[in-house]
Amino acid sequence: MAIIYEKKEKIAYLTINRPEALNALDTTTWREMFGAIEEFRRDDDSWVMIVTGAGDKAFSVGVDLKSTISSLADGGAEDLKWTRESSTWFREIYKPVISAVNGFCFAGAMEMVLATDIRIASENAVFGQMEAKWGIFTSGGGTVRLVREVSWCHAMEMLLAAQMITAQDAYRMGLVNRV
């Protein structure tokens, strides 16, 4: 399973479970994740959701570029429409969503974190909008949310220079609540 979704008392836990791929988001992971998010949204007995990544290397590195590029090359752009819907991560959820970030948090995964209400980072967390290194542009979710969360110059450095930041820097910038 690419996603582990479990409930303990009033708390729902969503874990991205592809540590061998640094928890990259492929089509299967995306579908399972949105199924779990929808289940949380409808479940009146779950009061809060905590989102994290399996393993200690990565929360998630974002979209799985290996599978995405091959799908695009095969003419499967319609199969990848979910990549354009990243701004809908937790839409219409009126309960708190907390991200617990460990390791790498890049690109689409950072967009997901930006959509959460409370953000906790481990000491080893590293954040970045790395799309510029690949010559691609981040979806609207990343650019719009990031410039609203941190100062303009910090956002531009992260977006245009694919600048990575540490957990402590993310805290100082106001990107996370605590480390």
Side-chain angles (χ1 to χ4, degrees), residues 11-29:
I11 303 172
Y13 296 87
L14 188 156
T15 304
I16 306 165
N17 188 34
R18 295 187 69 218
E20 73 286 349
L22 298 175
N23 296 320
L25 306 172
D26 62 2
T27 303
T28 301
T29 308

Side-chain angles (χ1 to χ4, degrees), residues 29-162:
T29 308
W30 184 270
R31 286 184 184 134
E32 288 181 21
M33 182 175 293
F34 267 86
I37 291 169
E38 180 60 22
E39 183 177 333
F40 171 70
R41 187 184 70 75
R42 288 184 277 125
D43 184 0
D44 292 336
D45 291 328
S46 292
W47 293 2
V48 64
M49 175 187 275
I50 299 173
V51 181
T52 194
D56 59 354
K57 291 184 181 177
F59 173 82
S60 173
V61 292
V63 172
D64 187 334
L65 293 177
K66 289 180 184 176
S67 67
T68 303
I69 291 170
S70 63
S71 290
L72 286 172
D74 294 339
E78 184 58 30
D79 293 339
L80 298 173
K81 71 178 187 173
W82 55 268
T83 62
R84 295 185 300 271
E85 298 171 356
S86 65
S87 61
T88 66
W89 281 108
F90 304 106
R91 184 176 56 192
E92 298 180 5
I93 294 182
Y94 304 103
K95 302 182 269 188
V97 178
I98 300 169
S99 53
V101 181
N102 51 310
F104 300 124
C105 181
F106 296 154
M110 189 163 146
E111 293 173 25
M112 178 185 3
V113 168
L114 288 168
T116 63
D117 302 302
I118 298 172
R119 304 168 199 145
I120 310 298
S122 68
E123 285 288 344
N124 74 330
V126 179
F127 298 85
Q129 290 289 157
M130 307 309 291
E131 290 88 344
K133 280 193 176 203
W134 293 94
I136 56 178
F137 190 72
T138 181
S139 72
T143 55
V144 171
R145 285 192 175 113
L146 187 59
V147 297
R148 290 178 179 168
E149 299 289 327
V150 302
S151 71
W152 178 263
C153 59
H154 284 121
M156 290 298 101
E157 185 174 22
M158 291 179 73
L159 291 166
L160 300 176

